[in-house]
Amino acid sequence: MGKAEDDFFGESMKLSPTLIALACLLFLATFPAQAQLPDPWMPSGPEGGEVTAFVQDPLDPDRLYAGSTGRGVFFSGDRGASWQVTNGLISAPVAALSAGTGETRGIWAAAGTEIFLSINGGRTWRNMGFGQSPPPRVLSAGPVYPFIGNTRLYRLESGGWRLVGQGSAFDGRTIFELAHDRQGQLLVASAAGLYVSFNRGLSFRRLGDGVFGAVLSVREDLRSRALFVSTLDGRLFRSNPERTQWENLTETLPSRPFPRGFAQIFPNGNEELLVLTDALILYRSSDSGATWAPVGEAPQMTLGAFELRTNLGSTHRLWSFGTGGVGLGTNRGTVWQPRNENLYNFELDDYVVAPGSPATLFATSPMGFATSPMGSVRRSVDDGDSWQLIRQEPIAFTAPLALDPTDPQRVYLGVSGGVRRSDDQGSTWETSQPPMVCSEVSEVAVAPSDPNVVYATSFSVSAGCPINIPGACFAHRSDDGGETFRCITEPSGQLTHKLIVDPRDANRVYAVSPSRIERSDDGGETWTPLRDSVNAFRDLILEPRNPDILLLSQAGGIFRSTDRGETWMRWDLPQGPGPLTALVAHPIHPDNVYGVLRYRAKWSKDGGRTWRNLPIATPELWLEGPLAIQPEEPLKLYTGTQDAGILSRAIPVATQCVPDEHTLCFGGENDDRFEVSVTWKDFQGNSGQGRPLDNQPRGARAFWFFDPENIELAIKVLDGRPVNDSWWIFYASLTNVEFTLTILDTATGQVREYQNPPRNFASRGDTQAFQDLHLLPFPLPDASLEAPWTSEDSAAEATLSSASNGSVSVHRLELPAGAPGLPSAGPLGMDSGCVADATSLCLSDRFRVRVSWRDFQDRTGVGTALSLTEDTGSFWFFSPDNTEMLVKVLDGRPVNGHWWVFFGSLTNVEFTLTVEDVMTGELQTYVNPLRNFASRGDTQAFDG
């Protein structure tokens, strides 16, 4: 980029709306074509998700590491204020993390069947091998050797991982935790009990023999050699410093502790113990466990925490982690804050966007990977910027959600044994009756035409729960809004993974299983098979405007039916045999269909016949679906991911503006997004519609009302989204009759109307006319551009849309008494010999018109002229595709003995318009100041 361009963008905050938009377009033009693709997918949360392991760097306590279920290891260098995922080498679930010192210096991670080491703060990882089954579940890096355990114990030596501990009682039994104390001794918590090695794993001695059996966790007291031990039967013990005597701390604890949910803090130098319990309450003891008191807000309820850790850098604070990510506890554990910014590891099961309230989202996750027995429901009321844990449930496999399409407060959740309903967006819940015996609810669907009708399907994971068990049923219907359910006929396919209710008929419902598509027309009493296949069916959608049209995804193809599934037509996918795993049709333009194929997003502009790729997401993120578009946000697409929650992005839409004798189309990818029309009413009460000019000015559009040689109104649309997320509308009138300018955004259905009262000339710049949901469709490398200057309207009589901004210059034209209106175009004078050139218009063959300009950086220039009709022309200042003003000269001598000059600006830079009568040498000069949009009619400009 050259020096002039650098200066241009360095001063961009001072530019007019026109110049800023032009600057953006010029700037983007200097980058490769791929830089102009829409922004990549943006995380919409929930942030956090299950953190399976956590460690602080002992050499730098501000540096934290968090193990995830599917995205490897995240690290934070600012005490958890923000996170980023480390090198993508680690992709399997992380079972354990450990910080080594001395000879084992670095961060160690057990993920899948492999062990990884980073010695540069997680930026890169080295595979340290293992590759055996079962995979390692625990890890501890001692001062000399790192150790891993599953049902056996191994340590890393120069030749690889060596099996140690043979002959010990725990050998062959599950190892639940490994730890090194401050003396470097190895502690093994196992199903056989607690063991310690004094010789780096060569031999072991049992601790606590006869006091407790299986041990789940062991920690060293921070002030002595005493140990804390949690056991399989839900007890918590503390030893003396010699580790020969053990005290049961749970005898006075009101409820059972979490296995690793305990930690020490030392406010004012005094020890306090804090314990998470299965009653979802945090308890604190200040007298070594003799008495316990509940502590404020428990992190189980707000963060889904199942483990506590003392903060190495400040021992009066705590860390928690679990299904809700990482949390920081302050004020002696009474205040908990999520520390999850950019930590995206939510194992999404389902999500929904609230109808009529697109900023409200709900997301569910099944049971955690590690020790959490609960699935979770989270809610966001700010479009995914922040999330709240609102419910935990014993959800083992699936957690479907559904919303009442008429009431965004009502939410349904499928769980083990039934359906939950909330009437306050998840703050409180009620359980449907009667209980659904042996059921894991797999799908819930609400009838749009009658929200009291709710369907649910379920399955059993127990061999002891066949269909002949009394009360066992795997298809359900409610007619009272989910309060009670009754058994209906189960679809005959395999596990139903999608239910769709026809929006016109509450009794017509479709069921999708991997091998069959079925339809019921009687509310689930009977089912009609529509299609069978050995190739798995993945998704089915109904066309939003005509629900008789179905679109079905199957391996290798898309199937379309126009008769409710009775007959099908197949379109092959050129990308190969893999199926589209998710589908959604645009709610306004249903020919636009979006899908996911091999973890990438696809777009079809022709109802699924042909497909093109959308820009790929961040490589670590695998798209899966479901896909969702809300009518209130029709340019925003949501998708679920494999292990990073919800993503969203702006999407392209093939629009449907069709030009005709009264309609102009322009703007957008194909210059057909915005539909523009105008109606007028003259001074005699006659009305009509404006007609597009045949010879349109470049970069603008124009209408005539009375005569095709007499332009009355000019409009232009600029893409200002890189500056302020909005499309900008500019118009300038060359008439003072009453008119209404209407602009429809065919992509979103938004409409803007601009009204001009009679006897008024108006010029306007609306820099917030249409918004693409606050999503930038173009990446803008230079972040210095700012939103354009705006001001209030300069005259109250300009009755323009309240959505507009900018400045209006209002000029009223009072015609001579009895004048019927504006004269028709066409010169009545003799040939003057006026000759136009690159910077001059010659109008009515007599008047030479020039314009000079000055922008907000005091740069100056002259306009380049373009003749449109015999009496009308235009000028551009900065680009031939960006018309800045129009001028016309009319012969008004039959009305008042004068030639008339009209001009309208599509810019708010300063300009000076000069009109010269070449026959008489008379000049008229019109000056427009900075930041003003000017439209003017001078009916006494020149004598006849």
Side-chain angles (χ1 to χ4, degrees):
M1 180 176 291
K3 175 70 166 59
E5 289 170 306
D6 288 334
D7 292 342
F8 186 78
F9 280 89
E11 297 293 326
S12 62
M13 64 178 294
K14 303 177 184 178
L15 296 175
S16 71
T18 301
L19 282 177
I20 292 178
L22 175 62
C24 295
L25 295 174
L26 290 175
F27 188 84
L28 289 171
T30 65
F31 285 80
Q34 59 266 29
Q36 299 186 33
L37 293 173
D39 276 352
W41 296 90
M42 302 299 293
S44 290
E47 290 178 310
E50 185 174 10
V51 171
T52 55
F54 175 87
V55 70
Q56 285 180 273
D57 191 326
L59 302 179
D60 181 8
D62 288 346
R63 195 166 185 87
L64 315 176
Y65 300 86
S68 73
T69 54
R71 302 195 64 206
V73 179
F74 289 81
F75 73 90
S76 171
D78 51 14
R79 304 182 188 179
S82 62
W83 295 82
Q84 66 183 83
V85 68
T86 65
N87 183 281
L89 178 65
I90 302 177
S91 58
V94 177
L97 292 171
S98 182
T101 58
E103 296 181 37
T104 64
R105 179 180 65 89
I107 302 299
W108 296 77
T113 62
E114 307 297 322
I115 306 299
F116 299 88
L117 170 65
S118 175
I119 59 174
N120 56 7
R123 286 186 289 275
T124 59
W125 295 87
R126 176 184 174 188
N127 191 329
M128 304 302 291
F130 187 67
Q132 301 182 38
S133 182
R137 60 176 296 156
V138 291
L139 164 69
S140 182
V144 178
Y145 299 106
F147 291 81
I148 58 174
N150 41 40
T151 57
R152 312 294 293 272
L153 182 67
Y154 302 83
R155 77 178 188 188
L156 182 61
E157 300 178 355
S158 58
W161 291 95
R162 172 189 172 187
L163 180 64
V164 295
Q166 299 98 316
S168 300
F170 64 81
D171 190 33
R173 307 286 296 277
T174 300
I175 298 174
F176 295 108
E177 190 166 81
L178 297 175
H180 281 85
D181 64 15
R182 287 190 292 275
Q183 284 71 43
Q185 297 171 359
L186 176 65
L187 299 163
V188 179
S190 74
L194 177 65
Y195 293 81
V196 62
S197 175
F198 301 97
N199 54 10
R200 297 167 183 163
L202 297 180
S203 63
F204 289 86
R205 177 170 66 87
R206 183 167 183 173
L207 300 175
D209 189 15
V211 180
F212 44 76
V215 175
L216 294 180
S217 182
V218 58
R219 307 266 182 84
E220 188 175 22
D221 187 300
L222 295 180
R223 296 199 299 186
S224 71
R225 296 188 67 247
L227 298 176
F228 291 96
V229 169
S230 68
T231 65
L232 185 62
D233 58 4
R235 294 180 292 166
L236 179 63
F237 292 86
R238 184 179 192 170
S239 77
N240 61 354
E242 293 74 29
R243 305 176 182 177
T244 57
Q245 299 178 4
W246 299 87
E247 177 185 6
N248 187 349
L249 301 181
T250 51
E251 291 181 347
T252 56
L253 192 64
S255 56
R256 180 171 162 157
F258 275 18
R260 296 182 178 88
F262 56 91
Q264 292 172 288
I265 58 173
F266 296 90
N268 302 318
N270 300 314
E271 182 204 42
E272 292 185 347
L273 300 179
L274 290 104
V275 178
L276 295 171
T277 66
D278 59 8
L280 303 184
I281 298 174
L282 176 66
Y283 287 94
R284 179 173 60 215
S285 175
S286 301
D287 52 14
S288 300
T291 60
W292 299 88
V295 179
E297 185 181 72
Q300 300 104 309
M301 296 299 295
T302 57
L303 299 171
F306 56 73
E307 188 161 348
L308 294 181
R309 293 288 177 86
T310 303
N311 189 328
L312 297 183
S314 177
T315 54
H316 63 278
R317 295 187 171 191
L318 293 161
W319 293 104
S320 73
F321 62 95
T323 56
V326 176
L328 175 65
T330 59
N331 196 25
R332 299 171 61 201
T334 60
V335 178
W336 291 88
Q337 306 169 15
R339 306 288 277 187
N340 292 322
E341 183 175 346
N342 296 324
L343 200 166
Y344 293 101
N345 180 55
F346 189 77
E347 186 179 354
L348 183 71
D349 182 84
D350 197 10
Y351 73 92
V352 288
V353 186
S357 179
T360 301
L361 295 87
F362 298 86
T364 58
S365 178
M367 181 187 294
F369 165 80
T371 59
S372 171
M374 299 289 190
S376 62
V377 185
R378 288 169 170 79
R379 176 182 65 202
S380 174
V381 296
D382 53 15
D383 203 19
D385 289 340
S386 62
W387 289 81
Q388 176 188 8
L389 178 67
I390 58 175
R391 187 166 183 86
Q392 292 180 288
E393 282 276 355
I395 303 168
F397 297 95
T398 183
L401 287 163
L403 290 173
D404 186 325
T406 64
D407 182 3
Q409 296 291 317
R410 179 166 290 185
V411 188
Y412 295 92
L413 169 68
V415 298
S416 299
V419 174
R420 307 283 190 265
R421 189 188 82 184
S422 173
D423 291 329
D424 51 16
Q425 289 198 338
S427 297
T428 60
W429 297 82
E430 297 178 357
T431 304
S432 61
Q433 296 297 327
M436 295 180 183
V437 179
C438 299
S439 286
E440 295 286 337
V441 176
S442 62
E443 185 71 6
V444 180
V446 183
S449 61
D450 183 358
N452 285 320
V453 177
V454 184
Y455 295 91
T457 54
S458 59
F459 63 97
S460 173
V461 296
S462 171
C465 284
I467 192 67
N468 58 2
I469 293 291
C473 176
F474 302 105
H476 320 265
R477 171 175 167 146
S478 172
D479 293 291
D480 53 14
E483 291 186 15
T484 61
F485 280 85
R486 59 182 173 86
C487 188
I488 58 175
T489 304
E490 182 184 8
S492 58
Q494 300 170 357
L495 170 66
T496 299
H497 61 254
K498 186 160 188 177
L499 289 174
I500 310 175
V501 185
D502 191 310
R504 304 161 302 182
D505 185 349
N507 289 318
R508 180 174 297 123
V509 58
Y510 297 85
V512 183
S513 70
S515 62
R516 176 171 289 183
I517 309 299
E518 298 172 77
R519 186 188 76 226
S520 175
D521 295 320
D522 52 14
E525 298 303 321
T526 60
W527 294 88
T528 301
L530 301 177
R531 189 171 182 84
D532 293 277
S533 177
V534 294
N535 293 323
F537 295 122
R538 299 305 300 266
D539 202 3
L540 175 73
I541 59 174
L542 309 186
E543 211 254 42
R545 293 187 175 179
N546 183 1
D548 290 342
I549 299 176
L550 282 60
L551 206 64
L552 169 68
S553 65
Q554 182 183 344
I558 290 290
F559 294 84
R560 186 173 188 264
S561 172
T562 60
D563 52 12
R564 304 176 188 170
E566 297 292 336
T567 60
W568 298 86
M569 174 175 58
R570 172 172 175 153
W571 294 323
D572 289 333
L573 294 177
Q575 292 85 355
L580 285 160
T581 56
L583 292 171
V584 68
H586 196 275
I588 299 174
H589 304 294
D591 282 343
N592 290 263
V593 182
Y594 307 87
V596 174
L597 177 63
R598 295 196 186 95
Y599 310 112
R600 291 198 61 174
K602 304 287 182 178
W603 172 35
S604 171
K605 297 192 291 184
D606 51 17
R609 185 186 301 270
T610 61
W611 295 83
R612 60 191 293 186
N613 289 329
L614 288 177
I616 196 167
T618 304
E620 299 90 7
L621 301 181
W622 285 10
L623 310 185
E624 285 196 337
L627 299 175
I629 305 173
Q630 289 300 302
E632 296 84 3
E633 289 188 309
L635 293 183
K636 186 173 187 178
L637 176 67
Y638 294 92
T639 184
T641 65
Q642 188 175 70
D643 46 39
I646 306 166
L647 302 180
S648 62
R649 58 154 293 158
I651 52 172
V653 178
T655 56
Q656 297 177 349
C657 177
V658 179
D660 58 33
E661 60 178 348
H662 299 297
T663 304
L664 287 170
C665 299
F666 61 119
E669 180 183 6
N670 299 311
D671 206 30
D672 62 355
R673 171 169 173 171
F674 296 96
E675 182 179 287
V676 185
S677 60
V678 61
T679 59
W680 54 263
K681 183 178 181 181
D682 67 14
F683 299 109
Q684 288 74 45
N686 301 311
S687 61
Q689 294 179 271
R691 293 175 177 267
L693 185 70
D694 290 335
N695 180 26
Q696 292 287 349
R698 293 184 63 182
R701 299 291 189 271
F703 286 94
W704 58 270
F705 295 172
F706 311 107
D707 188 307
E709 295 296 316
N710 189 5
I711 296 175
E712 310 289 356
L713 184 65
I715 308 101
K716 69 179 178 183
V717 176
L718 293 179
D719 187 355
R721 291 175 296 177
V723 179
N724 71 339
D725 294 354
S726 299
W727 289 87
W728 302 351
I729 302 297
F730 298 80
Y731 69 89
S733 65
L734 298 172
T735 183
N736 68 340
V737 302
E738 178 181 343
F739 65 81
T740 298
L741 174 65
T742 302
I743 303 178
L744 166 66
D745 183 348
T746 63
T748 67
Q750 299 176 81
V751 176
R752 292 286 180 267
E753 283 193 352
Y754 305 93
Q755 297 177 351
N756 185 61
R759 302 186 186 281
N760 184 67
F761 287 87
S763 179
R764 184 61 181 254
D766 181 353
T767 57
Q768 293 180 341
F770 297 97
Q771 295 184 334
D772 280 2
L773 317 171
H774 306 287
L775 294 172
L776 297 183
F778 300 106
L780 188 63
D782 191 314
S784 65
L785 296 180
E786 296 186 3
W789 175 92
T790 64
S791 74
E792 298 297 328
D793 292 346
S794 61
E797 59 263 38
T799 56
L800 299 173
S801 168
S802 60
S804 304
N805 62 12
S807 179
V808 177
S809 179
V810 178
H811 300 273
R812 292 194 177 277
L813 173 62
E814 298 297 336
L815 293 177
L822 297 179
S824 61
L828 300 178
M830 57 183 296
D831 186 358
S832 65
C834 179
V835 178
D837 56 32
T839 59
S840 302
L841 291 171
C842 195
L843 302 181
S844 297
D845 201 29
R846 172 171 173 173
F847 298 92
R848 181 178 292 114
V849 184
R850 297 185 178 94
V851 63
S852 61
W853 54 263
R854 181 175 70 90
D855 69 12
F856 293 93
Q857 289 73 48
D858 285 330
R859 288 172 294 210
T860 59
V862 295
T864 300
L866 176 65
S867 178
L868 300 176
T869 69
E870 191 171 1
D871 59 47
T872 307
S874 65
F875 288 93
W876 60 266
F877 297 170
F878 311 104
S879 166
D881 292 324
N882 192 7
T883 299
E884 306 291 354
M885 65 179 304
L886 285 86
V887 184
K888 72 179 177 182
V889 177
L890 295 180
D891 187 354
R893 291 176 295 178
V895 178
N896 68 344
H898 295 275
W899 289 88
W900 300 357
V901 174
F902 297 78
F903 66 88
S905 68
L906 297 168
T907 181
N908 66 345
V909 302
E910 178 182 315
F911 63 81
T912 300
L913 177 68
T914 302
V915 183
E916 177 188 3
D917 183 346
V918 297
M919 292 186 62
T920 65
E922 184 180 0
L923 292 175
Q924 290 290 350
T925 301
Y926 306 92
V927 178
N928 181 63
L930 282 172
R931 294 190 171 88
N932 186 65
F933 289 90
S935 187
R936 178 73 182 270
D938 183 353
T939 58
Q940 296 184 343
F942 296 96
D943 294 332

